[in-house]
Each structure stands twice: as structure tokens, then as C-alpha cells.
Amino acid sequence: KNTFFQMAAGQTATIAQQIKNIRDIELEGLARFFEQSEHVTWNEFLRYSEYLVRNPAVKAWEWIPQDSRDEIKRYETDARLAFFHDYMIWEKDATGRPVPVSDRKVYYPVYFATPVSGNEKALGFDLASEPVRDKALLQALTTGLPTATGTIQLVQGTSSRKGLLIFRPVFENLSETKKIRGFALAVLQLDSLLECASATPSIHLGLQILQAGSPKTEPGASCCDEFPFNPDFY
């Protein structure tokens, strides 16, 4: 029994440390990179994030600017000229197909995303158009703290694999009113996170996501999303 608890503690500590490093070191560093730069080019973003993409637990690292209605055309034009000729700010319609964004005061599109391969579909997606993402954005904006969504289906996903987004708000560096510029974002793919932590084939790990305000429950309760590490599960 003691041996089991020691092995379990070692495995779960690895996952906890992985998430902490993503939040406090890697995502924080990306956010400060944008805070210290008035304008970041596509090549500068790729150069900075070269070391970030080595983390296999993170599906994508992204920059999410805050755009007004008057700015989205400029962002689309700049993106098409600089790095992605098909770039468009979009949302999903009722059937899940991409369509041009509706008329809103503020937009939060995916402007940069790396690694590029496998994340092309996420470029231009307006996170404010989807309720779960929009709620996390608003909470991060209100608190000024890193904030995670609940489990979601990733727009760049090709299967039922679930993900989780961690936002870190980025404010104007010299602004006393903390004017928001956008968000640095880490996209976690949850089964990949478990794969990174499990070095022992005989140990089966599961990740349980508890929503804020939910009562503590036993594994398998309906308030939670569970992600067992099982190669055949997905």
C-alpha cells in the first residue's frame, strides 16, 4: 500500500509540475514577450516560441489580440500579406461551419499559432464567438490572472480528443489603466499531457477536471470530465 501511494504521488506530482511550468514559466514568458514589444512580427513570434513547441503536452501556443470592429479588416490584410494568404476572422454557424464573424464591438481572433502544422484551422477563429471560451476571456480580463476554460473540443482537432485553454491577459506595458492588448494562450491536449507524465506502462493515469463551484465528488461523477490515459481510448 505504501509503495502504491509513493508511485501514485510521483506520477501525479509530475502532472501538477507540468501544468505549473506551463502557466508560470512558459505562458508567462510568452505574455511578457508581447508586453515588452509594441509590435511583434510573425517571424519574431516563431523565433521566440522555438523552445516552447518542444513541450509535447501543449498543442499550440497562440497570440489573441483584442480587435475592434474597425480593426478586423486591417488585421486580416496584415495577416494575409505577412504569413497566411487565406487568413480570415471567423466563427462557427449553427452547423459548425466557418463563416465570417457577426457584428460585435470586440473580437478576440487567433492571430498567431505555433507549431503551424496541425493548427492552421485555428487561425482567425474568434474566441469571443463561443460561450465557454468567451467566459474564460472575460474572467481573465476581470481578474488580470491566468484563467483556464473547462474541457472543450478544439477547433483544430480532427477527432473527439478534448482540450483545455489557458489564457494569460497582456496589458499595455506603460498604461496606468491596464488597457488590454490581448492574451497569450496555451492550448493543452489532455491525453498528451497524461502521456508526458506516464513513464511506467503498468500505471494507468486519469485526469479529472472539476468545474469551479462544483461539489467534491468521487471519480465518475457527472460534474466532472475524466481523461484516462489509455492509447485505445481516443
Side-chain angles (χ1 to χ4, degrees):
K1 184 176 180 179
N2 288 336
T3 301
F4 171 80
F5 280 120
Q6 289 174 6
M7 295 178 69
Q11 294 291 315
T12 55
T14 300
I15 297 176
Q17 188 61 49
Q18 176 83 292
I19 295 174
K20 186 176 180 181
N21 288 344
I22 291 170
R23 182 195 65 187
D24 295 345
I25 299 175
E26 296 172 332
L27 185 61
E28 182 68 19
L30 182 62
R32 294 195 181 206
F33 171 67
F34 278 96
E35 282 179 341
Q36 299 300 320
S37 305
E38 289 187 14
H39 177 71
V40 175
T41 67
W42 173 245
N43 287 333
E44 289 170 341
F45 172 74
L46 291 181
R47 181 68 181 273
Y48 177 86
S49 58
E50 281 179 353
Y51 84 100
L52 294 176
V53 298
R54 299 172 189 169
N55 186 343
V58 180
K59 170 68 174 173
W61 299 94
E62 299 177 358
W63 168 240
I64 315 296
Q66 182 190 68
D67 295 347
S68 68
R69 244 182 321 228
D70 298 331
E71 290 176 314
I72 60 171
K73 291 300 181 184
R74 177 177 63 83
Y75 267 93
E76 288 179 335
T77 300
D78 290 349
R80 289 168 186 168
L81 292 174
F83 59 88
F84 198 71
H85 69 276
D86 289 332
Y87 187 90
M88 177 185 76
I89 297 176
W90 60 281
E91 62 187 41
K92 292 182 179 181
D93 65 11
T95 64
R97 294 179 300 181
V99 294
V101 287
S102 306
D103 190 25
R104 286 189 292 276
K105 289 184 178 180
V106 180
Y107 304 88
Y108 293 101
V110 178
Y111 191 63
F112 294 149
T114 190
V116 179
S117 179
N119 290 301
E120 301 93 333
K121 291 181 179 180
L123 289 170
F125 179 60
D126 178 26
L127 303 183
S129 67
E130 194 278 315
V132 175
R133 292 168 172 83
D134 187 48
K135 181 180 178 180
L137 283 167
L138 181 60
Q139 184 175 349
L141 184 59
T142 302
T143 64
L145 299 173
T147 303
T149 64
T151 53
I152 57 172
Q153 180 70 43
L154 302 177
V155 294
Q156 62 266 58
T158 57
S159 67
S160 60
R161 299 170 75 177
K162 293 291 186 70
L164 180 148
L165 310 183
I166 306 176
F167 297 97
R168 199 287 205 175
V170 174
F171 298 94
E172 294 285 354
N173 191 37
L174 301 178
S175 174
E176 294 182 1
T177 59
K178 297 196 76 173
K179 181 181 177 182
I180 189 70
R181 285 183 58 195
F183 296 86
L185 172 60
V187 180
L188 274 64
Q189 199 157 266
L190 297 173
D191 57 328
S192 297
L193 178 65
L194 291 176
E195 286 181 34
C196 294
S198 181
T200 307
S202 61
I203 296 177
H204 295 272
L205 297 177
L207 181 64
Q208 188 178 78
I209 307 297
L210 298 175
Q211 304 299 324
S214 298
K216 292 183 178 180
T217 58
E218 295 298 319
S222 60
C223 73
C224 313
D225 288 313
E226 290 190 318
F227 299 88
F229 174 42
N230 182 337
D232 298 325
F233 182 75
Y234 291 97

